[in-house]
Amino acid sequence: MASHYVVRHVDRAAPDTVAVLRDAGVATVHEAAGRTGLLGPAIQARQSGTVIAGSAITVSCPPGDNLMIHAAVEVCRAGDVLVVTTTSPSTDGMFGDLLATSLRARGVLGLVIDAGVRDIATLRKMGFPVWSRAVHAQGTVKASPGSVNVPVVADGQIIRPGDIVVADDDGVLAVPATSGAEVAAAAATRLAAETGKRAKLAAGTLGVDLYQLRPLLAALGVQYVDRLPS
């Protein structure tokens, strides 16, 4: 039996759910999801001010080999986010502007890769967003098998095909498609509450009063004094 697969079918989340999560952003969605799903900080945005959300197309590659990224392009659809991992740590530049051009033709929104990218200036000029572990000119080969649309681990977080990936300047988050609607509703509630809090803070209300933190400070033994005791 084969041990490497290209899985063609992915169950994708509803577009309106994805849109709510995109508009909420990584930090709010992380809180709404019970502080779950966040990738580690090693995978960073390589551009500024961009937020995307879409269904994950996952790729597992041997390090230094981008053959399976090319194989994955065929199964991508408009609105997807490509998520690439390697079977052992790698910072090689496995992705550049040519692959980005191919993905853009399929309507892919961006790339999350637990390895390196290169041609970063061109990628920025193209407006193709990437989140990566490294930027490194080291090239790769196309020689070894891997898999497309299998569960992968990116910087400590399991990502399954079809998971909703949200990525912005704060990092990258994965939400299971099956809980996407629930998390989106919780995120919308948080956003509404934050709007009210923001207005009160802008009007001069202190956080210790808005969040009723004075009793907690007192219970923890924090004392207010005009000067430290001599």
Side-chain angles (χ1 to χ4, degrees):
M1 180 178 293
S3 58
H4 304 286
Y5 302 92
V6 174
V7 180
R8 297 189 184 95
H9 178 75
V10 173
D11 293 319
R12 293 169 171 85
D16 56 343
T17 297
V18 175
V20 171
L21 297 176
R22 180 195 63 231
D23 293 344
V26 169
T28 296
V29 175
H30 183 228
E31 297 291 345
R35 297 188 177 180
T36 62
L38 190 63
L39 277 63
I43 297 180
Q44 300 182 11
R46 301 301 168 179
Q47 61 285 312
S48 179
T50 298
V51 56
I52 63 172
S55 298
I57 297 298
T58 63
V59 188
S60 175
C61 300
D65 192 316
N66 71 356
L67 172 64
M68 299 311 297
I69 301 179
H70 288 274
V73 174
E74 184 178 9
V75 301
C76 290
R77 296 182 187 173
D80 288 341
V81 176
L82 192 66
V83 178
V84 178
T85 63
T86 55
T87 53
S88 61
S90 176
T91 56
D92 293 349
M94 299 179 63
F95 183 95
D97 69 296
L98 294 180
L99 271 167
T101 299
S102 186
L103 287 176
R104 173 155 284 176
R106 306 288 291 186
V108 174
L109 299 176
L111 169 79
V112 175
I113 181 168
D114 197 350
V117 297
R118 61 184 189 174
D119 305 326
I120 192 66
T122 305
L123 291 172
R124 288 171 178 159
K125 186 176 180 179
M126 292 173 60
F128 188 87
V130 297
W131 285 257
S132 70
R133 178 174 289 272
V135 175
H136 195 197
Q138 177 64 52
T140 59
V141 299
K142 300 171 181 61
S144 305
S147 290
V148 175
N149 284 330
V150 297
V152 297
V153 177
D155 203 5
Q157 178 62 45
I158 294 176
I159 303 179
R160 297 172 178 84
D163 280 358
I164 306 167
V165 173
V166 186
D168 61 20
D169 287 347
D170 288 337
V172 181
L173 179 88
V175 177
T178 53
S179 59
E182 178 183 356
V183 174
T189 299
R190 288 189 65 89
L191 286 175
E194 287 174 0
T195 298
K197 291 175 182 176
R198 189 173 293 107
K200 291 179 180 178
L201 292 169
T205 300
L206 296 173
V208 290
D209 295 319
L210 179 64
Y211 297 107
Q212 300 180 352
L213 299 176
R214 295 188 189 278
L216 175 60
L217 289 168
L220 293 172
V222 178
Q223 301 180 50
Y224 285 78
V225 296
D226 292 329
R227 297 180 185 274
L228 289 176
S230 300

